[in-house]
Amino acid sequence: DTGVSQDPRHKITKRGQNVTFRCDPISEHNRLYWYRQTLGQGPEFLTYFQNEAQLEKSRLLSDRFSAERPKGSFSTLEIQRTEQGDSAMYLCASSPRDPKGSTDTQYFGPGTRLTVL
Amino acid sequence: DQQVKQNSPSLSVQEGRISILNCDYTNSMFDYFLWYKKYPAEGPTFLISISSIKDKNEDGRFTVFLNKSAKHLSLHIVPSQPGDSAVYFCAATTDSWGKLQFGAGTQVVVTP
């Protein structure tokens, strides 16, 4: 399977703890995106990378959040001092730099479900 | 500021009939629109997209219609099948590989 993978799939933590999630994009996809989805809502954009460069960050990404893609391949999203409001599904997606027709778009991983107690 | 809206949280349709899902947007700079399907415990799966220079795109049982003057798009699924039961998200972007803005989703249930 060469799809987007995310690890872990589920994470339960106590308020105040730090957590880190990993995303492995589809091989050779230059762009990598992080989204957050809460119950009853659609995914909300957090940030994206082209290769190792972080090109845009949402206002949702407070200073407790940091994302990296050090070698332009996998990415990590770290949340420091977690709060109950951070509980959500964190989704990663990847896309090729040059879409080949209208069907090339963002391909999502299965997500990491974070629960902050 | 919700720029993409799906005002129907749920839709029930009989197997074999047509499902019509609607989506409205407010940002006239959007130039690329997509529909995703999501099953529980899985990430969204891309279904179909349309560029703002077109008003219709078809792929098998799925057709997306875009009405730019009304800032409205719709997804038609015909015929509907039980496997189509899922949450469908409308998304839009100002470039074909930039950040996506999603609607809140429509839960579709296809009954036998």
Side-chain angles (χ1 to χ4, degrees):
Chain A
D1 182 15
T2 57
V4 178
S5 62
Q6 293 186 247
D7 184 69
R9 294 291 305 274
H10 303 274
K11 179 70 177 178
I12 300 174
T13 191
K14 293 183 179 179
R15 188 177 55 186
Q17 298 295 304
N18 299 344
V19 294
T20 300
F21 310 140
R22 176 180 170 125
C23 170
D24 287 88
I26 293 171
S27 179
E28 299 180 354
H29 276 192
N30 300 85
R31 293 209 172 192
L32 186 148
Y33 307 79
W34 286 98
Y35 292 83
R36 180 174 72 184
Q37 184 180 14
T38 54
L39 196 62
Q41 300 298 317
E44 296 174 290
F45 170 78
L46 293 178
T47 188
Y48 82 80
F49 294 83
Q50 179 162 313
N51 299 314
E52 65 276 8
Q54 189 172 17
L55 295 185
E56 187 172 348
K57 295 197 298 186
S58 163
R59 293 172 300 171
L60 293 175
L61 216 65
S62 75
D63 56 7
R64 295 186 298 106
F65 288 71
S66 63
E68 294 183 344
R69 195 182 182 197
K71 297 182 180 179
S73 56
F74 73 92
S75 175
T76 58
L77 177 67
E78 180 183 17
I79 309 174
Q80 296 182 328
R81 305 180 304 282
T82 53
E83 301 172 356
Q84 287 184 326
D86 297 332
S87 296
M89 175 74 82
Y90 289 83
L91 293 162
C92 176
S94 70
S95 71
R97 179 177 181 181
D98 296 306
K100 300 173 186 175
S102 63
T103 57
D104 271 8
T105 185
Q106 294 180 29
Y107 300 89
F108 283 82
T112 294
R113 167 79 60 192
L114 173 66
T115 302
V116 182
L117 302 176
Chain B
D1 179 25
Q2 191 76 6
Q3 298 186 29
V4 179
K5 298 179 182 179
Q6 294 176 257
N7 292 319
S8 299
S10 64
L11 173 70
S12 182
V13 64
Q14 267 191 319
E15 182 178 2
R17 306 293 289 267
I18 184 171
S19 295
I20 300 176
L21 290 79
N22 294 304
C23 177
D24 297 295
Y25 62 95
T26 56
N27 187 346
S28 58
M29 298 301 292
F30 287 143
D31 60 3
Y32 194 64
F33 303 88
L34 309 93
W35 286 93
Y36 283 84
K37 172 181 178 180
K38 187 179 184 303
Y39 294 116
E42 294 184 12
T45 301
F46 171 72
L47 267 181
I48 191 169
S49 62
I50 187 166
S51 164
S52 60
I53 63 173
K54 297 184 177 181
D55 55 17
K56 177 182 175 182
N57 189 26
E58 192 172 354
D59 184 2
R61 297 187 298 115
F62 303 93
T63 303
V64 56
F65 296 92
L66 175 62
N67 181 334
K68 284 192 297 181
S69 61
K71 294 190 176 69
H72 177 84
L73 65 157
S74 62
L75 174 68
H76 293 206
I77 307 172
V78 56
S80 299
Q81 299 175 352
D84 296 331
S85 295
V87 178
Y88 289 77
F89 292 100
C90 169
T93 183
T94 54
D95 67 76
S96 58
W97 49 81
K99 65 182 181 185
L100 297 176
Q101 295 196 44
F102 285 84
T106 297
Q107 171 78 59
V108 172
V109 176
V110 180
T111 57

